[in-house]
Amino acid sequence: MTSDPAALLAAVERLRSATGAIGLPLELDDAEASRALQRELREQLDDYVLPRLRSLDAPLLAVVGGSTGAGKSTLVNSVVGEQVTRAGVIRPTTRSSVLVHHESDAAWFTGSRILPDLARVTGAADRVEDPASVRLVASAALPAGLALLDAPDIDSVVRENRRLSKELLAAADLWLFVTTAARYADAVPWDLLREASERGTAVAVVLNRVPPEAMGQVRVHLASMLREQGLGQSPIFTIGEDDLVDGRVPERSSARLRGWLQSLAGDARARSVVIRRTLTGTLASLDRRAATLAAAGAGQLAAGDVLSVAAATAYRDAARGVDQGVQDGSLLRGEVLARWHELVGTGEFLRSVEAGIGRVRDRLGAFLTGRDFAPEPLGEALQTGAAALITSHGQVAAGTAARAWRTSSGGPGLLAAHPGLGKASPDLSEQVERLIRDWQGELLELVREEAGSRRATARYLAFGVNGLGVLLMIVVFSATALIPTGAEVAVGAGSAVLAQRLLEAVFGDQAVRAMAVKARQALMRRVEQLYEAERFRFDRALASAPMSPGAVAELQAAAAGVEAAR
């Protein structure tokens, strides 16, 4: 291990902070496994690596774990030589874990040096105990320098028991794995043994309740399995199928295991070898596990980016749709066209429009002087049409974004948590109406500014600011050349041309073109701001699932720092 323990400790502390900062909020395919990895890595750093680096001379902690009914508690009582933990009769046994230590070592375990998330309790076992606690038992029968922790079953049907068992095993300097002749080949314990091997954890195996006639065969087979998993150096202790004496294994059967543990406790060098072997192996595994966690964090970020882009694309397309609808003349049909007919007349007048713009110019003077220009109904129709266009595209954008999220990783979970995203904001129609009114106010101000000294002219007075504003709206809503595909379209095109000529009679052609551009840009700016606010609902949903690109980079750097320091 490193010659600079302080630098290594600082590097691991940085890694611990970076591990907790990784966000895994989206429900991706690997999210559950990634969260489990994050929790296990965080717990092992808190429960074992950091405490051990800070206190290399602390007692060796041997965690006794194994399958249901393997006899773990009985074995602990047998090794200690007195009743220190209660064996479970009913399966699954739900109770607090029991940590047995020598009286002189109490200070190492009463605080939060290890297993900080578990409450400490003392005294005799109650009938029902809290699995979120660890019961401390001081015993003079156990040598100083060694502590035994009786853990829950690793294959318990109670999920919390299984999770706690893995947490405790990750906190061990030494895993004392207890199994039986009937169950030593079960899959669950071997998955954990494989993890222990990968992390470099020191392991000793107790083969319990072995029939005398099968002792040799079972032991050889178990040794072969351990070698295959890289645990060939792990000692194996066999205990025959003997009757219990006062609830404990006969002394002759447990003597070898008890003697080995006592020698570890009494030999500071041997104890240090086991501690450093496990610590070194665990430190060596951190880089790989942190890399896996960082990859999971990067996957979350990538999924979040896909969701963000999907929402942004939907509303960007909506804005483009409005822009196209504003310029293609579609708003100059239906009710708008009918109101325009009411305003300028039909029959001979509009036929002259269709025949050619020259005839419009011939009649322009007579029109201005012989007709009162009352644009209010037309303005309302234009306002209604524009509002319907903007509202419709906003509603479509919400549905489009939601559909994209339903088919994207992580999206369904966010939609379930924010059910309103599939539709536009409830007050979208009111927002759009306010937007149109505000835009009309801006448009009228544009007319006033452009009029300048012309406000006293007969042509300006004939239309008034409101009338000129309505004419400018018509020009804005027909800014591109129309391709006549039917009578209504042709009449709409002629109407737009007439409106433009009427405006030009007051302001001139260059000014009208500039005003139309400014007015359309002002409208689209407001539409884009509205859609940005609508899209922000999706951003808020993503923000409720916090992820940080910097956290992934920090975790990678912190893991590299540990690798360099060790």
Side-chain angles (χ1 to χ4, degrees), residues 3 7 31 47 93 111 124 162 201 223 267 276 287 303 309 312 334 349 369 381 403 432 444 482 506 520 552:
S3 58
D47 296 344
T93 303
R162 298 196 305 271
T201 303
D267 187 337
R276 288 180 177 273
D287 184 63
V309 168
F349 181 76
T369 58
R403 283 193 299 275
V432 172
L444 294 178
L482 296 173
V506 178
R520 186 174 65 252
V552 172

Side-chain angles (χ1 to χ4, degrees), residues 111-122:
S112 58
R113 184 186 67 88
I114 63 169
L115 305 172
D117 295 334
L118 297 182
R120 269 49 174 180
V121 296
T122 57

Side-chain angles (χ1 to χ4, degrees), residues 114-204:
I114 63 169
L115 305 172
D117 295 334
L118 297 182
R120 269 49 174 180
V121 296
T122 57
D126 296 327
R127 192 173 188 84
V128 178
E129 299 180 49
D130 181 7
S133 64
V134 57
R135 187 164 65 88
L136 302 180
V137 178
S139 173
L142 194 69
L146 171 69
L148 296 179
L149 199 161
D150 183 13
D153 302 331
I154 60 175
D155 56 356
S156 171
V157 296
V158 179
R159 181 178 181 179
E160 183 58 25
N161 280 357
R162 298 196 305 271
R163 193 203 67 77
L164 179 59
S165 179
K166 291 190 68 174
E167 178 184 354
L168 298 179
L169 290 172
D173 293 306
L174 168 66
W175 181 17
L176 198 59
F177 171 53
V178 184
T179 186
T180 64
R183 303 196 59 185
Y184 71 92
D186 287 358
V188 172
W190 282 98
D191 287 341
L192 290 177
L193 284 168
R194 191 175 301 110
E195 288 184 23
S197 175
E198 291 172 353
R199 297 178 189 178
T201 303
V203 176

